[in-house]
Amino acid sequence: MSRFLRWRSPRFWLWFGPILGWLIFCFWYTNTAGPFSAAEIDALAARMEGSGGEGADSLRRFMAEDDGGQFLMVNLLESAPSPEAQTHMDRYMAHMLPEMLRRASHPMLFGDVVFRAMDLVGIEGAESWTTVGVVRYRSRRDLLEIALAPRFGSQHDFKVAALAKTIAVPVRPALHLADLRLLLLLVLLSVVGVVDAVRRR
């Protein structure tokens, strides 16, 4: 044990290096700025009102109820009946993906719908969807930094042109077994444990 704790020991760095890298990743992947302040809420709501955007009241409530944590955006999408629909969506995602990744936000699930909605209550016109996507956002602040950027409006037009209808619902995960922090830790411990065992033989 004493040899393991020596910082010059190869075994010490075999374990400490990956764990340090994981801690750095967790720091970047986790929102450390906390929820929106009152000043931020007023400033961002004023920006939206000044740009003529709709939904300033809803945006203010979205920020006021911020807990500072990550959330998932669940998207149900039906492609427009147009040959250019996929091209429009590709252009939209070419803008969104780099913006999301810069802010530790990324898609977590994406797939084609294999059958119409099998349980539908209290809503009309929601029987058919083309695809479902789930996107992880580090924080509400990260989402709004993307959505309120000057370029977003023109890029969002491509999404509108690509879709016949869509619903996007933000969700606070109570159980999130696919969290990259957990998955990365398990992978690192497994790999380092195997390497350590092989070296000690």
Side-chain angles (χ1 to χ4, degrees):
M1 183 66 179
S2 60
R3 290 180 60 190
F4 175 75
L5 292 176
R6 294 174 186 170
W7 69 271
R8 291 186 178 180
S9 165
R11 191 177 179 215
F12 173 84
W13 284 103
L14 174 65
W15 285 93
F16 181 73
I19 294 300
L20 178 61
W22 177 75
L23 290 173
I24 293 172
F25 171 80
C26 287
F27 180 78
W28 170 74
Y29 196 75
T30 305
N31 175 37
T32 57
F36 285 104
S37 66
E40 283 181 295
I41 293 174
D42 291 339
L44 289 173
R47 276 180 58 188
M48 190 166 188
E49 292 168 353
S51 63
E54 299 179 357
D57 290 339
S58 178
L59 174 65
R60 184 179 286 275
R61 181 179 174 187
F62 180 70
M63 292 187 288
E65 296 178 356
D66 184 19
D67 62 359
Q70 67 176 352
F71 72 97
L72 306 179
M73 187 72 81
V74 180
N75 299 271
L76 278 69
L77 309 102
E78 182 177 352
S79 297
S82 164
E84 292 84 20
Q86 188 58 51
T87 301
H88 291 320
M89 182 57 72
D90 289 344
R91 290 193 64 176
Y92 172 71
M93 291 307 299
H95 166 76
M96 283 295 292
L97 275 176
E99 295 296 323
M100 289 191 295
L101 292 175
R102 284 175 50 206
R103 298 170 174 84
S105 305
H106 54 85
M108 297 203 65
L109 179 150
F110 186 81
D112 296 332
V113 172
V114 297
F115 198 69
R116 60 180 292 169
M118 300 182 70
D119 191 7
L120 201 63
V121 178
I123 182 172
E124 297 181 359
E127 294 85 357
S128 64
W129 301 98
T130 308
T131 53
V132 173
V134 178
V135 177
R136 183 264 185 185
Y137 286 97
R138 180 172 56 184
S139 69
R140 303 188 190 195
R141 182 181 290 104
D142 290 294
L143 171 63
L144 292 185
E145 282 182 0
I146 298 172
L148 295 179
R151 287 189 59 205
F152 180 76
S154 60
Q155 299 300 317
H156 189 260
D157 290 342
F158 289 115
K159 178 181 179 180
V160 174
L163 299 173
K165 64 183 179 185
T166 183
I167 294 176
V169 181
V171 177
R172 180 190 298 114
L175 179 65
H176 189 23
L177 298 180
D179 192 308
L180 283 186
R181 288 163 292 195
L182 174 61
L183 296 179
L184 181 60
L185 178 62
L186 294 176
V187 170
L188 284 176
L189 291 178
S190 299
V191 171
V192 173
V194 170
V195 173
D196 190 29
V198 172
R199 286 183 68 258
R200 294 181 69 186
R201 282 188 176 184

